[in-house]
Amino acid sequence: MSNWLWNGNDVTEDVIPEISVGFVYKIEHIPTGKYYIGKKSLESVRNVKIGVRELARIKEQRKLDGIRGSLPKKKKVRKSSDWEKYYSSNEWIKEQITEGKSDEFKRSVLQFCYSKKSLSYYEVYWMFKYDVLSDENCLNGNISGKFYRKDLDN
């Protein structure tokens, strides 16, 4: 498995800017020159229903602290993503990885981002910069589900 590269160096937990929420990447199939541009979050945040025991504990603590009002029903749970092992959401790339061809790919971080909105913005920015819909070597079929390669044909 090839490591993620950023400015020519391996990406590790130590290299990632502390306040970063994700990164925009380019994954390239070395033998063919085909590439894909995407984004990857470093962690996921989900709302999870609070269990009966934990709810009872919260209720007791709030009573001791003199806090009134309704109890929370959900809590936010953060979970680290699989970014180290991640290759792409692209089906062709996933097939190649399943066939054991991960060594044929170069994974590069184009930019670290510091909010979810900037992550989405810079993914689109890099797609337009690389002109992904016009480039035959690009595996991206659309940009944000709004602009499609087939729509460019006049």
Side-chain angles (χ1 to χ4, degrees):
M1 176 189 321
S2 66
N3 289 333
W4 285 102
L5 299 173
W6 184 45
N7 294 333
N9 300 312
D10 284 350
V11 176
T12 61
E13 292 281 344
D14 301 334
V15 174
I16 298 172
E18 195 172 310
I19 58 172
S20 145
V21 298
F23 56 86
V24 179
Y25 66 87
K26 176 182 176 189
I27 181 165
E28 184 178 356
H29 186 242
I30 299 163
T32 62
K34 292 184 181 291
Y35 66 93
Y36 182 85
I37 298 206
K39 65 180 176 180
K40 183 64 181 162
S41 293
L42 295 172
E43 65 181 19
S44 63
V45 180
R46 298 179 327 160
N47 285 325
V48 178
K49 186 177 177 184
I50 297 175
V52 175
R53 288 186 188 132
E54 188 175 0
L55 206 53
R57 186 187 53 75
I58 292 170
K59 184 176 183 180
E60 189 61 36
Q61 186 62 48
R62 288 174 63 126
K63 191 175 182 181
L64 292 172
D65 295 341
I67 300 172
R68 295 174 40 186
S70 61
L71 295 172
K73 295 187 180 15
K74 294 183 179 183
K75 64 180 180 180
K76 289 193 182 294
V77 176
R78 293 182 179 277
K79 180 182 169 193
S80 184
S81 76
D82 62 344
W83 68 268
E84 288 120 326
K85 299 176 197 159
Y86 184 77
Y87 272 83
S88 178
S89 59
N90 180 272
E91 290 302 320
W92 183 81
I93 292 175
K94 288 198 277 191
E95 285 173 21
Q96 299 300 306
I97 300 306
T98 304
E99 292 173 13
K101 299 178 181 176
S102 61
D103 58 328
E104 294 182 358
F105 289 91
K106 177 182 174 186
R107 302 185 299 168
S108 303
V109 172
L110 297 173
Q111 179 172 358
F112 285 102
C113 298
Y114 306 104
S115 71
K116 283 184 170 183
K117 279 188 179 183
S118 70
L119 187 58
S120 294
Y121 170 80
Y122 282 109
E123 178 190 27
V124 172
Y125 166 83
W126 284 102
M127 287 178 170
F128 277 111
K129 187 168 180 144
Y130 276 89
D131 198 16
V132 298
L133 299 182
S134 298
D135 188 349
E136 292 298 318
N137 280 331
C138 185
L139 296 168
N140 292 79
N142 69 74
I143 297 176
S144 296
K146 294 181 181 177
F147 306 100
Y148 292 84
R149 179 171 281 156
K150 64 181 180 181
D151 296 335
L152 295 181
D153 299 332
N154 293 331

